[in-house]
Coordinates of all heavy atoms in Angstrom, one line a residue:
S1 N 5.4 -43.6 60.1 CA 6.4 -43.1 59.2 C 5.6 -42.3 58.1 O 6.2 -41.4 57.5 CB 7.3 -44.1 58.6 OG 6.6 -45.1 57.9
H2 N 4.5 -42.8 57.7 CA 3.8 -42.2 56.6 C 3.3 -40.8 57.1 O 3.4 -39.8 56.4 CB 2.5 -42.9 56.3 CG 1.5 -42.2 55.3 ND1 1.9 -42.0 54.0 CD2 0.3 -41.8 55.5 CE1 1.0 -41.4 53.5 NE2 0.0 -41.2 54.3
I3 N 2.9 -40.6 58.3 CA 2.5 -39.3 58.9 C 3.7 -38.4 58.9 O 3.6 -37.2 58.6 CB 1.8 -39.5 60.2 CG1 0.5 -40.3 60.1 CG2 1.5 -38.1 60.9 CD1 -0.1 -40.7 61.4
M4 N 4.8 -38.9 59.4 CA 6.0 -38.1 59.6 C 6.5 -37.6 58.2 O 7.1 -36.6 58.2 CB 7.1 -38.9 60.3 CG 6.7 -39.2 61.8 SD 6.4 -37.7 62.7 CE 8.1 -37.0 62.8
S5 N 6.3 -38.3 57.2 CA 6.8 -37.9 55.9 C 6.1 -36.7 55.4 O 6.6 -36.0 54.5 CB 6.6 -39.0 54.9 OG 5.3 -39.3 54.6
D6 N 4.9 -36.3 55.9 CA 4.2 -35.2 55.5 C 4.7 -33.9 56.1 O 4.4 -32.8 55.7 CB 2.7 -35.3 55.8 CG 2.0 -36.4 55.0 OD1 2.6 -36.8 53.9 OD2 1.0 -36.9 55.4
Y7 N 5.4 -34.1 57.2 CA 5.9 -32.9 58.0 C 7.4 -32.6 57.6 O 8.1 -33.5 57.4 CB 5.8 -33.1 59.4 CG 4.4 -33.3 59.9 CD1 3.8 -34.5 60.1 CD2 3.5 -32.1 60.0 CE1 2.5 -34.7 60.5 CE2 2.3 -32.3 60.4 CZ 1.7 -33.5 60.7 OH 0.4 -33.6 61.0
V8 N 7.8 -31.4 57.6 CA 9.2 -31.0 57.5 C 9.8 -31.1 58.8 O 9.3 -30.6 59.9 CB 9.2 -29.4 56.9 CG1 10.7 -29.0 56.9 CG2 8.6 -29.3 55.6
R9 N 11.0 -31.7 58.8 CA 11.7 -31.9 60.0 C 12.4 -30.6 60.5 O 12.8 -29.8 59.7 CB 12.8 -32.9 59.9 CG 12.2 -34.3 59.7 CD 13.2 -35.4 59.8 NE 12.5 -36.6 59.9 CZ 12.7 -37.5 60.9 NH1 13.5 -37.2 61.8 NH2 12.0 -38.6 60.9
M10 N 12.5 -30.4 61.9 CA 13.1 -29.2 62.3 C 14.6 -29.4 62.2 O 15.2 -30.4 62.3 CB 12.7 -29.0 63.8 CG 11.3 -28.6 64.0 SD 10.7 -28.3 65.8 CE 12.2 -28.3 66.7
T11 N 15.3 -28.2 62.0 CA 16.7 -28.2 61.9 C 17.3 -28.1 63.4 O 16.5 -27.7 64.3 CB 17.2 -27.0 61.1 OG1 16.8 -25.8 61.8 CG2 16.6 -27.0 59.7
D12 N 18.5 -28.3 63.6 CA 19.1 -28.2 64.9 C 19.1 -26.8 65.3 O 19.0 -26.5 66.5 CB 20.6 -28.7 64.8 CG 20.7 -30.3 64.8 OD1 19.7 -30.9 65.2 OD2 21.7 -30.8 64.3
T13 N 19.2 -25.8 64.4 CA 19.2 -24.4 64.7 C 17.8 -24.1 65.3 O 17.7 -23.3 66.3 CB 19.4 -23.6 63.5 OG1 20.7 -23.9 62.9 CG2 19.5 -22.1 63.8
E14 N 16.7 -24.6 64.7 CA 15.4 -24.3 65.2 C 15.3 -25.0 66.6 O 14.6 -24.3 67.5 CB 14.4 -24.9 64.2 CG 14.3 -24.2 62.9 CD 13.4 -24.9 61.9 OE1 13.4 -26.2 61.9 OE2 12.7 -24.2 61.1
R15 N 15.8 -26.2 66.8 CA 15.7 -26.8 68.1 C 16.4 -26.0 69.2 O 16.0 -25.8 70.3 CB 16.2 -28.2 68.0 CG 15.3 -29.2 67.3 CD 15.8 -30.5 67.4 NE 15.1 -31.5 66.7 CZ 15.3 -31.9 65.4 NH1 16.5 -31.5 64.8 NH2 14.6 -32.8 64.8
D16 N 17.6 -25.5 68.8 CA 18.4 -24.7 69.7 C 17.7 -23.4 70.1 O 17.7 -22.9 71.2 CB 19.8 -24.4 69.1 CG 20.7 -25.6 68.9 OD1 20.4 -26.6 69.7 OD2 21.6 -25.5 68.1
Q17 N 17.0 -22.8 69.1 CA 16.2 -21.6 69.4 C 15.0 -21.9 70.3 O 14.8 -21.0 71.2 CB 15.7 -21.0 68.0 CG 15.0 -19.7 68.3 CD 15.9 -18.5 68.8 OE1 17.0 -18.3 68.3 NE2 15.4 -17.9 69.8
I18 N 14.4 -23.0 70.1 CA 13.3 -23.4 71.0 C 13.8 -23.6 72.4 O 13.3 -23.1 73.4 CB 12.6 -24.6 70.4 CG1 11.8 -24.3 69.2 CG2 11.7 -25.2 71.5 CD1 11.2 -25.4 68.5
D19 N 15.0 -24.3 72.5 CA 15.6 -24.5 73.9 C 15.9 -23.2 74.5 O 15.6 -23.0 75.7 CB 16.9 -25.3 73.7 CG 16.6 -26.7 73.5 OD1 15.5 -27.2 73.7 OD2 17.6 -27.5 73.1
Q20 N 16.5 -22.2 73.8 CA 16.9 -21.0 74.3 C 15.6 -20.1 74.7 O 15.6 -19.6 75.8 CB 17.7 -20.1 73.3 CG 18.2 -18.8 73.8 CD 19.0 -18.1 72.7 OE1 19.1 -18.5 71.6 NE2 19.4 -16.9 73.1
D21 N 14.6 -20.1 73.8 CA 13.3 -19.5 74.2 C 12.6 -20.1 75.4 O 12.1 -19.4 76.2 CB 12.4 -19.5 73.0 CG 12.9 -18.6 71.9 OD1 13.8 -17.9 72.0 OD2 12.3 -18.8 70.8
A22 N 12.7 -21.4 75.5 CA 12.1 -22.1 76.6 C 12.7 -21.7 77.9 O 12.1 -21.5 79.0 CB 12.1 -23.6 76.4
Q23 N 14.0 -21.7 77.9 CA 14.8 -21.3 79.1 C 14.5 -19.9 79.6 O 14.3 -19.6 80.8 CB 16.3 -21.5 78.9 CG 16.7 -23.0 78.8 CD 18.2 -23.2 78.5 OE1 18.9 -22.3 78.3 NE2 18.6 -24.5 78.6
V24 N 14.4 -19.0 78.6 CA 14.1 -17.6 79.0 C 12.7 -17.5 79.5 O 12.5 -16.8 80.5 CB 14.2 -16.7 77.7 CG1 13.6 -15.3 77.9 CG2 15.7 -16.6 77.3
F25 N 11.8 -18.3 78.9 CA 10.4 -18.3 79.4 C 10.3 -18.9 80.8 O 9.6 -18.3 81.7 CB 9.5 -19.1 78.4 CG 8.1 -19.1 78.8 CD1 7.2 -17.9 78.5 CD2 7.5 -20.2 79.3 CE1 5.9 -17.9 78.9 CE2 6.1 -20.2 79.7 CZ 5.4 -19.1 79.5
M26 N 11.0 -19.9 81.1 CA 10.9 -20.5 82.4 C 11.5 -19.5 83.5 O 11.0 -19.4 84.6 CB 11.6 -21.9 82.4 CG 10.8 -22.9 81.7 SD 11.6 -24.6 81.7 CE 13.0 -24.4 80.7
R27 N 12.6 -19.0 83.1 CA 13.2 -18.0 84.0 C 12.3 -16.8 84.2 O 12.1 -16.3 85.4 CB 14.6 -17.4 83.4 CG 15.6 -17.0 84.4 CD 16.9 -16.7 83.8 NE 17.5 -17.8 82.9 CZ 17.8 -17.6 81.7 NH1 17.7 -16.5 81.1 NH2 18.2 -18.7 81.0
T28 N 11.7 -16.3 83.2 CA 10.7 -15.2 83.3 C 9.6 -15.6 84.2 O 9.1 -14.8 85.1 CB 10.2 -14.8 81.9 OG1 11.3 -14.4 81.1 CG2 9.2 -13.6 82.0
C29 N 9.1 -16.8 84.0 CA 8.0 -17.3 84.9 C 8.4 -17.3 86.4 O 7.7 -17.0 87.3 CB 7.5 -18.6 84.4 SG 6.5 -18.6 82.9
A30 N 9.6 -17.9 86.6 CA 10.1 -18.0 87.9 C 10.3 -16.6 88.6 O 9.9 -16.4 89.8 CB 11.4 -18.7 88.0
D31 N 10.7 -15.6 87.8 CA 10.9 -14.3 88.3 C 9.5 -13.7 88.6 O 9.4 -13.0 89.7 CB 11.6 -13.4 87.4 CG 13.1 -13.8 87.2 OD1 13.6 -14.5 88.0 OD2 13.7 -13.4 86.2
A32 N 8.5 -13.9 87.8 CA 7.2 -13.4 88.0 C 6.5 -14.0 89.2 O 5.9 -13.2 90.1 CB 6.3 -13.7 86.8
I33 N 6.8 -15.3 89.5 CA 6.2 -15.9 90.7 C 6.9 -15.3 91.9 O 6.2 -15.0 92.9 CB 6.5 -17.4 90.6 CG1 5.6 -18.1 89.6 CG2 6.2 -18.1 92.0 CD1 5.9 -19.5 89.3
H34 N 8.2 -15.1 91.8 CA 8.9 -14.5 93.0 C 8.4 -13.1 93.2 O 8.1 -12.7 94.4 CB 10.4 -14.5 92.7 CG 11.2 -13.8 93.8 ND1 11.4 -14.4 95.0 CD2 11.8 -12.6 93.9 CE1 12.1 -13.6 95.8 NE2 12.3 -12.5 95.1
L35 N 8.1 -12.3 92.2 CA 7.6 -10.9 92.3 C 6.2 -11.0 92.9 O 5.8 -10.2 93.8 CB 7.6 -10.2 91.0 CG 7.0 -8.8 91.0 CD1 7.9 -7.9 91.8 CD2 7.0 -8.3 89.5
L36 N 5.4 -11.9 92.4 CA 4.0 -12.0 93.0 C 4.0 -12.4 94.4 O 3.2 -11.9 95.3 CB 3.2 -13.1 92.2 CG 2.6 -12.7 90.9 CD1 2.1 -13.9 90.2 CD2 1.5 -11.7 91.1
R37 N 5.0 -13.3 94.8 CA 5.1 -13.7 96.2 C 5.4 -12.5 97.1 O 4.9 -12.4 98.2 CB 6.2 -14.8 96.4 CG 6.1 -15.6 97.6 CD 7.0 -16.8 97.6 NE 6.7 -17.8 96.7 CZ 5.8 -18.8 97.0 NH1 5.1 -18.7 98.1 NH2 5.6 -19.8 96.1
T38 N 6.3 -11.6 96.6 CA 6.6 -10.4 97.5 C 5.5 -9.4 97.5 O 5.3 -8.8 98.5 CB 8.0 -9.8 96.9 OG1 7.7 -9.4 95.6 CG2 9.1 -10.7 97.0
E39 N 4.7 -9.4 96.4 CA 3.6 -8.4 96.4 C 2.4 -9.0 97.0 O 1.5 -8.1 97.3 CB 3.3 -8.0 94.9 CG 4.5 -7.3 94.2 CD 4.6 -5.9 94.7 OE1 3.6 -5.2 95.0 OE2 5.8 -5.4 94.8
A40 N 2.2 -10.2 97.1 CA 1.0 -10.8 97.5 C 0.5 -10.4 98.9 O -0.7 -10.4 99.2 CB 1.1 -12.4 97.4
H41 N 1.4 -10.2 99.8 CA 1.1 -9.9 101.1 C 1.1 -8.4 101.5 O 0.8 -8.1 102.7 CB 2.0 -10.7 102.1 CG 2.0 -12.1 101.8 ND1 0.9 -12.9 101.9 CD2 3.0 -13.0 101.4 CE1 1.2 -14.2 101.6 NE2 2.5 -14.2 101.3
K42 N 1.4 -7.6 100.6 CA 1.4 -6.2 100.9 C 0.0 -5.7 101.1 O -0.9 -5.9 100.3 CB 2.1 -5.4 99.8 CG 3.6 -5.6 99.7 CD 4.2 -4.7 98.7 CE 5.7 -4.9 98.7 NZ 6.3 -4.1 97.6
G43 N -0.3 -5.0 102.3 CA -1.5 -4.5 102.5 C -2.6 -5.4 102.9 O -3.8 -5.0 103.1
V44 N -2.3 -6.7 103.0 CA -3.3 -7.7 103.3 C -3.3 -7.9 104.9 O -2.3 -8.1 105.4 CB -3.0 -9.0 102.6 CG1 -4.1 -10.1 103.1 CG2 -3.1 -8.8 101.2
Q45 N -4.5 -7.7 105.4 CA -4.6 -7.9 106.9 C -5.1 -9.3 107.3 O -4.7 -9.8 108.3 CB -5.6 -6.8 107.5 CG -5.2 -5.4 107.1 CD -3.9 -5.1 107.8 OE1 -3.6 -5.5 108.9 NE2 -3.1 -4.3 107.1
S46 N -5.9 -9.9 106.4 CA -6.4 -11.2 106.8 C -5.4 -12.3 106.7 O -4.8 -12.5 105.6 CB -7.6 -11.5 105.8 OG -8.1 -12.7 106.0
A47 N -5.4 -13.2 107.7 CA -4.4 -14.3 107.7 C -4.9 -15.4 106.7 O -4.1 -16.1 106.0 CB -4.4 -14.9 109.1
Q48 N -6.2 -15.4 106.5 CA -6.8 -16.4 105.6 C -6.4 -16.0 104.1 O -6.1 -16.9 103.3 CB -8.3 -16.5 105.7 CG -9.0 -17.5 104.9 CD -10.5 -17.5 105.1 OE1 -11.1 -16.7 105.7 NE2 -11.1 -18.6 104.5
V49 N -6.5 -14.7 103.8 CA -6.1 -14.3 102.5 C -4.6 -14.6 102.2 O -4.2 -15.0 101.1 CB -6.4 -12.8 102.2 CG1 -5.9 -12.3 101.0 CG2 -8.0 -12.6 102.3
K50 N -3.8 -14.2 103.2 CA -2.4 -14.6 103.1 C -2.1 -16.0 102.9 O -1.3 -16.4 101.9 CB -1.6 -14.0 104.4 CG -1.5 -12.6 104.4 CD -0.7 -12.2 105.7 CE -0.6 -10.7 105.8 NZ 0.1 -10.3 107.1
E51 N -2.8 -16.9 103.6 CA -2.6 -18.3 103.6 C -3.1 -18.8 102.1 O -2.4 -19.6 101.5 CB -3.4 -19.0 104.6 CG -3.2 -20.5 104.7 CD -3.9 -21.1 105.8 OE1 -4.1 -20.5 106.9 OE2 -4.3 -22.3 105.7
H52 N -4.2 -18.2 101.6 CA -4.7 -18.6 100.3 C -3.8 -18.3 99.3 O -3.4 -19.1 98.4 CB -6.1 -18.0 100.1 CG -6.6 -18.2 98.7 ND1 -7.1 -19.4 98.2 CD2 -6.6 -17.3 97.6 CE1 -7.4 -19.3 97.0 NE2 -7.1 -18.1 96.6
R53 N -3.2 -17.1 99.2 CA -2.3 -16.6 98.3 C -1.0 -17.4 98.3 O -0.5 -17.7 97.2 CB -2.0 -15.1 98.5 CG -3.2 -14.2 98.1 CD -2.9 -12.8 98.3 NE -4.0 -12.0 97.9 CZ -4.0 -10.6 98.0 NH1 -3.0 -9.9 98.4 NH2 -5.1 -9.9 97.6
T54 N -0.5 -17.7 99.5 CA 0.7 -18.5 99.6 C 0.5 -19.8 99.0 O 1.3 -20.4 98.3 CB 1.1 -18.6 101.1 OG1 1.4 -17.3 101.6 CG2 2.3 -19.5 101.2
A55 N -0.7 -20.5 99.3 CA -1.0 -21.8 98.7 C -1.1 -21.8 97.2 O -0.6 -22.7 96.5 CB -2.3 -22.3 99.3
V56 N -1.7 -20.8 96.6 CA -1.8 -20.6 95.2 C -0.5 -20.5 94.6 O -0.1 -21.2 93.6 CB -2.8 -19.5 94.8 CG1 -2.7 -19.2 93.4 CG2 -4.2 -19.8 95.2
L57 N 0.3 -19.6 95.1 CA 1.7 -19.4 94.6 C 2.6 -20.6 94.7 O 3.4 -20.9 93.9 CB 2.4 -18.2 95.3 CG 1.7 -16.8 94.8 CD1 2.2 -15.7 95.7 CD2 2.1 -16.5 93.3
D58 N 2.4 -21.4 95.9 CA 3.1 -22.6 96.0 C 2.7 -23.6 94.9 O 3.6 -24.3 94.3 CB 2.9 -23.2 97.4 CG 3.6 -22.5 98.5 OD1 4.5 -21.6 98.3 OD2 3.2 -22.7 99.7
F59 N 1.4 -23.7 94.6 CA 0.9 -24.6 93.6 C 1.5 -24.2 92.2 O 2.0 -25.1 91.4 CB -0.6 -24.6 93.6 CG -1.2 -25.4 92.4 CD1 -1.2 -26.8 92.5 CD2 -1.7 -24.7 91.3 CE1 -1.7 -27.5 91.5 CE2 -2.2 -25.5 90.2 CZ -2.2 -26.9 90.3
I60 N 1.5 -22.9 91.9 CA 2.0 -22.4 90.6 C 3.5 -22.8 90.5 O 4.0 -23.2 89.5 CB 1.7 -20.9 90.4 CG1 0.2 -20.7 90.3 CG2 2.4 -20.4 89.2 CD1 -0.2 -19.3 90.3
E61 N 4.2 -22.5 91.6 CA 5.7 -22.7 91.6 C 6.0 -24.2 91.4 O 6.9 -24.6 90.7 CB 6.3 -22.2 92.8 CG 7.8 -22.2 92.9 CD 8.3 -21.5 94.1 OE1 7.8 -21.7 95.2 OE2 9.2 -20.7 93.9
D62 N 5.2 -25.0 92.1 CA 5.4 -26.5 91.9 C 5.1 -26.9 90.5 O 5.9 -27.8 89.9 CB 4.4 -27.2 92.9 CG 4.6 -28.8 92.8 OD1 5.7 -29.3 93.0 OD2 3.6 -29.4 92.5
Y63 N 4.1 -26.4 89.9 CA 3.7 -26.7 88.5 C 4.9 -26.3 87.6 O 5.2 -27.1 86.7 CB 2.4 -26.0 88.1 CG 2.0 -26.4 86.8 CD1 1.3 -27.6 86.5 CD2 2.1 -25.6 85.6 CE1 0.9 -28.0 85.2 CE2 1.7 -25.9 84.3 CZ 1.1 -27.1 84.1 OH 0.7 -27.4 82.9
L64 N 5.4 -25.1 87.8 CA 6.5 -24.7 87.0 C 7.7 -25.6 87.1 O 8.4 -26.0 86.2 CB 6.9 -23.2 87.3 CG 8.1 -22.7 86.5 CD1 7.8 -22.6 85.0 CD2 8.5 -21.3 87.1
K65 N 8.0 -26.0 88.3 CA 9.2 -27.0 88.6 C 8.9 -28.3 87.8 O 9.9 -28.8 87.3 CB 9.3 -27.2 90.1 CG 9.9 -26.0 90.8 CD 10.0 -26.3 92.3 CE 10.6 -25.1 93.0 NZ 10.7 -25.3 94.5
R66 N 7.7 -28.8 87.8 CA 7.4 -30.0 87.1 C 7.6 -29.8 85.6 O 8.1 -30.7 84.9 CB 6.0 -30.5 87.5 CG 6.0 -31.1 88.9 CD 4.6 -31.7 89.2 NE 3.7 -30.6 89.5 CZ 2.4 -30.5 89.2 NH1 1.9 -31.5 88.5 NH2 1.7 -29.5 89.6
V67 N 7.1 -28.6 85.1 CA 7.3 -28.4 83.6 C 8.8 -28.3 83.3 O 9.3 -28.8 82.3 CB 6.6 -27.1 83.3 CG1 7.0 -26.6 81.9 CG2 5.0 -27.3 83.4
C68 N 9.6 -27.6 84.2 CA 11.0 -27.5 83.9 C 11.7 -28.9 84.0 O 12.6 -29.2 83.2 CB 11.6 -26.6 85.0 SG 11.2 -24.9 84.8
K69 N 11.2 -29.7 84.9 CA 11.8 -31.1 85.0 C 11.5 -31.8 83.7 O 12.4 -32.5 83.1 CB 11.2 -31.9 86.2 CG 11.8 -33.2 86.3 CD 11.2 -34.0 87.6 CE 11.7 -35.3 87.6 NZ 10.9 -36.2 88.4
L70 N 10.3 -31.8 83.2 CA 9.9 -32.4 82.0 C 10.8 -31.9 80.8 O 11.3 -32.7 80.0 CB 8.5 -32.3 81.7 CG 7.9 -33.0 80.4 CD1 8.1 -34.4 80.5 CD2 6.4 -32.6 80.2
Y71 N 10.9 -30.7 80.7 CA 11.7 -30.0 79.7 C 13.1 -30.5 79.7 O 13.7 -30.9 78.7 CB 11.6 -28.5 79.8 CG 12.7 -27.8 79.0 CD1 12.6 -27.7 77.7 CD2 13.9 -27.3 79.6 CE1 13.7 -27.1 76.9 CE2 14.9 -26.7 79.0 CZ 14.7 -26.6 77.6 OH 15.8 -26.0 76.9
S72 N 13.7 -30.6 80.9 CA 15.1 -31.0 81.1 C 15.2 -32.5 80.7 O 16.3 -32.9 80.0 CB 15.5 -30.9 82.6 OG 15.6 -29.5 82.9
E73 N 14.3 -33.3 81.0 CA 14.4 -34.7 80.6 C 14.3 -34.9 79.1 O 15.0 -35.6 78.5 CB 13.2 -35.5 81.2 CG 13.3 -35.7 82.7 CD 12.1 -36.2 83.4 OE1 11.0 -36.4 82.7 OE2 12.1 -36.5 84.6
Q74 N 13.4 -34.1 78.5 CA 13.4 -34.1 77.0 C 14.6 -33.6 76.3 O 15.0 -34.1 75.3 CB 12.1 -33.4 76.5 CG 10.8 -34.0 76.9 CD 9.6 -33.2 76.5 OE1 9.7 -32.0 76.2 NE2 8.4 -33.9 76.5
R75 N 15.1 -32.6 76.9 CA 16.3 -32.1 76.4 C 17.5 -33.0 76.5 O 18.4 -33.2 75.6 CB 16.7 -30.7 77.1 CG 17.9 -30.0 76.4 CD 18.0 -28.6 76.9 NE 19.1 -28.0 76.3 CZ 19.9 -27.1 76.8 NH1 19.7 -26.7 78.1 NH2 20.9 -26.5 76.2
A76 N 17.5 -33.7 77.7 CA 18.6 -34.7 77.9 C 18.5 -35.9 76.9 O 19.5 -36.3 76.4 CB 18.5 -35.3 79.3
I77 N 17.3 -36.2 76.5 CA 17.1 -37.3 75.4 C 17.7 -36.7 74.1 O 18.4 -37.5 73.4 CB 15.6 -37.7 75.3 CG1 15.2 -38.4 76.6 CG2 15.4 -38.5 74.1 CD1 13.7 -38.6 76.7
R78 N 17.4 -35.5 73.8 CA 17.9 -34.9 72.5 C 19.4 -34.9 72.5 O 20.0 -35.3 71.6 CB 17.3 -33.5 72.3 CG 17.8 -32.9 71.2 CD 17.2 -31.5 70.9 NE 18.0 -30.7 69.9 CZ 18.5 -29.6 70.1 NH1 18.2 -28.9 71.3 NH2 19.2 -29.0 69.3
V79 N 20.0 -34.5 73.6 CA 21.4 -34.4 73.7 C 22.1 -35.8 73.6 O 23.0 -36.0 72.8 CB 21.9 -33.7 75.0 CG1 23.4 -33.9 75.3 CG2 21.5 -32.2 75.0
K80 N 21.4 -36.7 74.2 CA 21.9 -38.1 74.2 C 21.9 -38.6 72.7 O 22.8 -39.3 72.2 CB 21.1 -39.1 75.0 CG 21.6 -40.5 75.1 CD 20.7 -41.3 76.0 CE 21.2 -42.8 76.0 NZ 21.3 -43.4 74.8
R81 N 20.8 -38.4 72.0 CA 20.7 -38.8 70.6 C 21.8 -38.1 69.7 O 22.3 -38.8 68.8 CB 19.3 -38.4 70.1 CG 18.2 -39.3 70.5 CD 16.9 -39.0 70.0 NE 15.8 -39.8 70.5 CZ 14.5 -39.5 70.4 NH1 14.1 -38.4 69.8 NH2 13.6 -40.3 70.9
V82 N 22.1 -36.9 70.0 CA 23.1 -36.2 69.2 C 24.4 -36.8 69.5 O 25.2 -37.1 68.5 CB 23.1 -34.7 69.5 CG1 24.3 -34.0 69.0 CG2 21.8 -34.0 69.0
I83 N 24.7 -37.1 70.8 CA 26.0 -37.8 71.1 C 26.1 -39.1 70.5 O 27.1 -39.5 69.9 CB 26.2 -37.9 72.6 CG1 26.3 -36.5 73.2 CG2 27.3 -38.8 73.0 CD1 26.3 -36.4 74.7
D84 N 25.0 -40.0 70.6 CA 25.0 -41.3 70.0 C 25.2 -41.2 68.4 O 25.9 -42.0 67.8 CB 23.7 -42.0 70.3 CG 23.6 -42.4 71.7 OD1 24.6 -42.4 72.4 OD2 22.5 -42.7 72.1
K85 N 24.5 -40.2 67.8 CA 24.7 -40.0 66.4 C 26.2 -39.7 66.0 O 26.7 -40.2 65.0 CB 23.8 -38.8 65.9 CG 23.5 -38.8 64.5 CD 22.5 -37.7 64.2 CE 21.8 -37.8 62.9 NZ 20.9 -36.7 62.6
K86 N 26.8 -38.9 66.8 CA 28.2 -38.5 66.5 C 29.2 -39.7 66.7 O 30.1 -39.8 66.0 CB 28.6 -37.4 67.4 CG 28.0 -36.0 67.0 CD 28.5 -34.9 67.8 CE 27.9 -33.6 67.4 NZ 28.4 -32.4 68.2
R87 N 28.8 -40.6 67.6 CA 29.6 -41.8 67.8 C 29.6 -42.7 66.6 O 30.5 -43.4 66.3 CB 29.1 -42.6 69.0 CG 29.5 -42.0 70.3 CD 29.1 -42.9 71.4 NE 29.2 -42.2 72.7 CZ 28.6 -42.5 73.8 NH1 27.9 -43.6 73.8 NH2 28.7 -41.9 74.9
L88 N 28.4 -42.7 66.0 CA 28.3 -43.6 64.7 C 29.0 -42.9 63.5 O 29.6 -43.3 62.8 CB 26.8 -43.8 64.4 CG 26.0 -44.5 65.5 CD1 24.5 -44.6 65.0 CD2 26.5 -45.9 65.6

């Protein structure tokens, strides 16, 4: 609590803005991965290169999905706290 008293708390408006920015950022990343996936195989003749690029993009896409899941879980906690606060 001593450490927290040194910091200014975020407002709900700031939290909402972060949520909105995070959603836009995640959507942009998903779109970029999709675009990379369509561009990755153009002009490539080697099966090994295609396989490598596919594996890398699969890894990146999986990582983004895990980040989105973590974000959703944290947001759900925030929403639950707001609901519980309103009940009181």
Side-chain angles (χ1 to χ4, degrees):
S1 65
H2 172 66
I3 294 172
M4 291 302 290
S5 65
D6 294 340
Y7 296 101
V8 176
R9 292 190 168 236
M10 287 181 13
T11 66
D12 287 337
T13 304
E14 291 171 324
R15 286 185 186 101
D16 291 341
Q17 184 63 49
I18 289 171
D19 283 344
Q20 185 179 0
D21 292 345
Q23 289 176 354
V24 169
F25 183 74
M26 289 183 289
R27 206 172 312 121
T28 302
C29 288
D31 292 344
I33 291 169
H34 178 71
L35 180 62
L36 278 172
R37 197 174 290 281
T38 58
E39 295 289 323
H41 303 298
K42 289 185 178 177
V44 175
Q45 301 298 323
S46 170
Q48 185 177 10
V49 171
K50 286 181 183 180
E51 187 176 328
H52 173 74
R53 289 180 179 178
T54 299
V56 169
L57 288 167
D58 288 345
F59 175 76
I60 293 170
E61 189 171 44
D62 180 62
Y63 185 79
L64 178 62
K65 286 179 184 179
R66 288 185 280 140
V67 168
C68 291
K69 182 181 177 201
L70 179 62
Y71 164 77
S72 295
E73 290 168 356
Q74 291 176 344
R75 187 168 181 216
I77 291 169
R78 177 176 164 235
V79 169
K80 184 181 180 305
R81 286 182 182 164
V82 169
I83 291 171
D84 289 346
K85 195 177 198 181
K86 285 183 180 182
R87 285 184 192 164
L88 298 175

